[in-house]
Amino acid sequence: MTSDGALSVLVVLLGFLCGTILIVIVGRNPAGMYKAILQVLTGYNLDRNRFYIRYVGEWLAQSMPFILCGLSMGFAARCGLFNIGGEGQYVVGLTVAQFVAILGPQIPGVHWFAALLLAVLAGAFWGAIVGFLKAKYQVSEVVATIMLNYIALYASRILVMRIPGTNTYRTPSFPETALLRSSVLEKLTGGSMLNLGIIFVFLAVLVYWFIMEKTRTGFALRATGFNKEAARASGIPVIRSIILSMAIAGAFAGLAGGIVALGSFRFGRVLAGNDGYGFAGIAVALVGNSTAFGTMLSGLLFGMLASAQPLMESNRIPKEITFIIQGLVVVFIAVRTGIRIFIRYSQRKKVVQEVVDHE
Amino acid sequence: MNELLGKIPTILMLVSPILITATGGMICERSGVVNIALEGLMVFGAFAAATVHFFLEPVMGAQSIWIALTAGALFGMLFSLIHAFAAISLNADQTVSGTGINLLATGVTIFLSQILFRMDRTRQFRLGMMPGPGGIYPTAFIALAVIALTWFMLYKRPFGLRLRACGENPHAAASVGVNVRNMRYTAVLLSGILAGLAGGCLVLTTNTQFNSTTVNGHGFIALAVVSFGRWKPLGITGASLLFGTALAFSIIATDFTLLRSLPTEIFNIMPYAITLLTLVIFSGKDYAPRSAGKPYEKGAS
């Protein structure tokens, strides 16, 4: 019961258990929820006894922003920072991608790549601001990121509405060269929204793992996260570590924004509110224990919940149950850390007691 | 100028919920518990108030407003209990449990709306809160009473001294017989009550129903107000007035020829940009309660 992975599984199961009980309390049939989940995971529809492979493709497509925003939160967390700013970094990436999509050069293969690249850089910049303020001026990253989230959202609205031909909610359609569509992936998954973004998601997971576990930089970041003073004393440039980790965290969220902008839509959006991937990313990273592989798995879990929503609706289950499960999982994780401290504390007390008895 | 004076009721209407929530946030942080769940607690309060008002209005008429506000406060308190239990009894990471409540808030309230009203928001009530003389809503007086009472309790009563001690140095407080755990529980629950009440005030004055965008960041603005107002009653009153005015201008700017050419979003950005800027400018001195965010372990250290 002490391994991180086992605890995460337990917490998720608890979340589902509470969700199931809640559905029963309000007099609906929880089987509807599980049927929806089965159909998302395998494409198999129990009621009609048929396979629809499209649902699997939609599931993977839905999971992409969750995985990337989870990596964003997780990367900062490994360096001891709480990045609530995934949402803002995502919005900045999305906005830049939309601009490049509409105004960029329409060269096949180059156009969408340039848009994604600039989205990544924009996200990294937005994250680096937080790291800079934290390292140089000791501004709490929690407050700074929340402020920057809203600044990003409203700035995005102001800027996107300036694009010629934009009304209050959408820009003109993107040119074909800006889209991440791939006819191969669409054919494989029965016409789902699955797109080239998935390649970059896998690359991101690999990059995360490589930087964190295999490079000197990653070691410095983790050391800063464990104990800032000890890291400083052993010659690790702490200020640089903090700025760098927030920049990389922002890059992941920016990529998520770019992929959603060019993969899930064919026009730019004037955002009316937050998409919520950044906030969900906090939960994704917490469930995944901020490891590369764990975050990918928990991102797939959250993507599964999101793409099961419309199916749940048709089974008369309010789709908000998925948000409740997400929230409960985070609350349980908060408590989980507490329980672990409590166990450690009582063990220490026991040892002290034994020593006293011995004497 | 007259034009501007005419906008005062609108400004006060927007300032009141922010000030009430920020007061709760201040009490909470002064006791040593960081509460980023303010946003979520406001959502719970707004939902409960709108729902209760919808059901009681046909029976009781305008008087049901007060029961609705009480319901909002109670609902806010109920969910702040989760934060209190996690943060105080289990020494959980306060940012994580606050985030959990924020995530839960939209889920639970819209879920309940689906069950009660079969749609993703509450049904519309007929009349919200009615403005009093001068077009000023009663919520402005509630906010004034809340902040005045809080100032009195925090600075003029032993209770306030003890509460502030728990946020500065809980071990010292415990050594002179203060029950840190109880003080912090009281503070978190108070912040839940106030955020819930503020959510109720918000929905009953600015809307005719509760939906997922009713609260729309007011709780996070309140969080900014607490930092910007440097954890002091007078400071947060000033900050609330400033931020509320900025928000009001995002709605009323079109009435002024001079401001019409600006995108209204500029006024939405202002509270956040100002907060960030002041945090940088005043970064040398630390005004935050010294032990805010740190769990208190009996006998440790």
Side-chain angles (χ1 to χ4, degrees):
Chain A
M1 266 348 287
T2 41
S3 104
D4 288 336
L7 268 171
S8 285
V9 173
L10 182 75
V11 161
V12 170
L13 289 179
L14 262 177
F16 272 97
L17 182 69
C18 292
T20 311
I21 292 173
L22 193 61
I23 293 175
V24 173
I25 289 176
V26 299
R28 304 283 164 88
N29 185 359
M33 179 168 79
Y34 291 102
K35 272 184 207 163
I37 289 174
L38 179 76
Q39 184 167 353
V40 168
L41 288 179
T42 63
Y44 183 62
N45 184 321
L46 261 179
D47 296 327
R48 292 192 207 153
N49 199 11
R50 272 190 64 185
F51 275 100
Y52 301 92
I53 193 71
R54 186 168 68 83
Y55 286 98
V56 181
E58 299 290 3
W59 165 39
L60 293 177
Q62 273 281 358
S63 301
M64 295 193 289
F66 286 107
I67 296 174
L68 289 170
C69 288
L71 293 178
S72 170
M73 166 74 193
F75 201 90
R78 292 289 280 275
C79 191
L81 298 164
F82 202 94
N83 179 20
I84 307 194
E87 197 67 49
Q89 294 142 16
Y90 165 90
V91 167
V92 170
L94 179 133
T95 309
V96 168
Q98 289 184 169
F99 264 88
V100 180
I102 293 208
L103 305 172
Q106 297 180 19
I107 310 165
V110 174
H111 193 181
W112 60 261
F113 189 77
L116 277 192
L117 190 69
L118 285 171
V120 169
L121 291 177
F125 170 71
W126 208 247
I129 297 177
V130 180
F132 178 74
L133 294 180
K134 166 91 180 175
K136 263 276 190 296
Y137 299 102
Q138 287 88 46
V139 175
S140 149
E141 79 275 20
V142 173
V143 179
T145 45
I146 291 174
M147 301 302 119
L148 282 170
N149 285 347
Y150 282 96
I151 294 176
L153 178 65
Y154 291 114
S156 165
R157 284 179 58 86
I158 295 175
L159 293 174
V160 174
M161 278 203 263
R162 294 271 145 126
I163 296 177
T166 303
N167 57 23
T168 49
Y169 73 96
R170 62 164 284 182
T171 68
S173 296
F174 293 150
E176 278 294 316
T177 49
L179 300 177
L180 292 175
R181 292 179 62 185
S182 138
S183 49
V184 180
L185 286 173
E186 273 175 28
K187 214 169 278 169
L188 269 178
T189 56
S192 77
M193 297 288 285
L194 192 63
N195 54 58
L196 293 172
I198 195 82
I199 299 167
F200 293 94
V201 172
F202 281 118
L203 278 179
V205 173
L206 279 180
V207 165
Y208 183 104
W209 170 80
F210 186 76
I211 297 181
M212 223 18 122
E213 315 289 344
K214 296 289 163 198
T215 65
R216 195 183 295 190
T217 316
F219 178 76
L221 298 183
R222 281 183 288 142
T224 310
F226 278 124
N227 189 332
K228 216 185 277 180
E229 290 314 311
R232 199 194 308 275
S234 40
I236 289 169
V238 170
I239 291 189
R240 190 178 147 265
S241 286
I242 289 177
I243 298 177
L244 187 68
S245 81
M246 280 307 298
I248 298 177
F252 286 123
L255 179 61
I259 289 179
V260 170
L262 308 177
S264 308
F265 293 90
R266 299 188 176 183
F267 54 87
R269 287 178 298 154
V270 179
L271 295 172
N274 283 314
D275 284 351
Y277 293 121
F279 288 118
I282 299 170
V284 172
L286 286 169
V287 173
N289 293 309
S290 301
T291 63
F293 192 61
T295 305
M296 188 179 79
L297 285 183
S298 80
L300 287 170
L301 173 77
F302 280 75
M304 181 267 283
L305 283 175
S307 57
Q309 282 181 352
L311 292 169
M312 289 187 190
E313 292 277 84
S314 58
N315 288 339
R316 292 190 59 243
I317 307 280
K319 67 174 190 294
E320 285 70 25
I321 191 72
T322 60
F323 298 130
I324 295 182
I325 292 176
Q326 285 176 19
L328 283 174
V329 164
V330 176
V331 170
F332 288 143
I333 284 175
V335 176
R336 176 193 79 171
T337 343
I339 291 171
R340 192 179 295 154
I341 293 172
F342 180 75
I343 292 172
R344 233 180 266 151
Y345 175 69
S346 51
Q347 275 170 350
R348 197 173 61 196
K349 219 160 140 188
K350 217 168 95 190
V351 173
V352 172
Q353 194 60 44
E354 275 168 16
V355 172
V356 171
D357 289 347
H358 196 70
E359 281 168 356
Chain B
M1 200 58 214
N2 259 345
E3 221 178 338
L4 201 61
L5 280 177
K7 300 298 178 196
I8 285 180
T10 315
I11 293 172
L12 287 181
M13 175 185 88
L14 290 167
V15 168
S16 310
I18 294 175
L19 179 55
I20 297 171
T21 312
T23 308
M26 177 185 70
I27 295 174
C28 197
E29 299 212 356
R30 284 312 277 272
S31 82
V33 182
V34 167
N35 193 349
I36 70 160
L38 292 176
E39 173 84 8
L41 296 172
M42 278 184 89
V43 172
F44 283 121
F47 164 78
T51 307
V52 168
H53 187 55
F54 170 76
F55 282 117
L56 289 186
E57 196 183 19
V59 192
M60 301 176 58
Q63 291 311 309
S64 81
I65 293 261
W66 306 108
I67 298 180
L69 285 180
T70 316
L74 286 178
F75 218 56
M77 186 184 79
L78 190 68
F79 282 89
S80 69
L81 201 59
I82 300 178
H83 187 52
F85 179 68
I88 303 164
S89 296
L90 295 173
N91 293 339
D93 186 316
Q94 296 169 8
T95 315
V96 177
S97 78
T99 307
I101 293 173
N102 283 340
L103 285 173
L104 264 184
T106 6
V108 170
T109 52
I110 306 296
F111 181 84
L112 290 177
S113 308
Q114 293 274 18
I115 299 304
L116 288 172
F117 306 105
R118 295 179 176 280
M119 53 186 187
D120 60 357
R121 52 195 183 277
T122 65
R123 275 259 176 85
Q124 294 196 348
F125 39 80
R126 240 161 14 90
L127 287 174
M129 195 180 272
M130 284 294 112
I136 294 172
Y137 284 99
T139 53
F141 302 108
I142 298 177
L144 198 64
V146 163
I147 190 72
L149 193 67
T150 303
W151 170 80
F152 181 73
M153 289 303 282
L154 273 186
Y155 290 94
K156 299 291 161 197
R157 305 298 310 157
F159 167 82
L161 183 67
R162 291 182 194 132
L163 188 134
R164 287 183 287 134
C166 293
E168 292 296 330
N169 191 335
H171 295 287
S175 74
V176 290
V178 176
N179 188 333
V180 177
R181 210 175 136 271
N182 283 0
M183 284 316 256
R184 287 191 168 179
Y185 257 95
T186 313
V188 176
L189 293 189
L190 273 175
S191 79
I193 290 174
L194 290 177
L197 175 69
C201 290
L202 184 68
V203 77
L204 293 177
T205 54
T206 63
N207 216 326
T208 54
Q209 62 181 179
F210 166 84
N211 61 35
S212 61
T213 59
T214 300
V215 176
N216 195 20
H218 280 78
F220 286 129
I221 292 189
L223 197 69
V225 163
V226 177
S227 313
F228 185 70
R230 294 190 199 158
W231 294 268
K232 293 215 165 60
L234 200 62
I236 65 165
T237 310
S240 302
L241 280 169
L242 180 68
F243 289 4
T245 311
L247 267 191
F249 265 94
S250 69
I251 301 170
I252 61 181
T254 43
D255 297 351
F256 298 92
T257 33
L258 204 68
L259 303 172
R260 205 170 291 159
S261 55
L262 285 172
T264 55
E265 282 85 359
I266 294 280
F267 297 101
N268 291 109
I269 287 185
M270 254 156 57
Y272 306 107
I274 294 173
T275 306
L276 205 55
L277 214 65
T278 42
L279 284 177
V280 172
I281 294 170
F282 296 107
S283 64
K285 263 194 204 156
D286 204 356
Y287 297 95
R290 210 161 301 146
S291 299
K294 292 181 197 136
Y296 166 69
E297 284 180 73
K298 236 186 215 162
S301 85

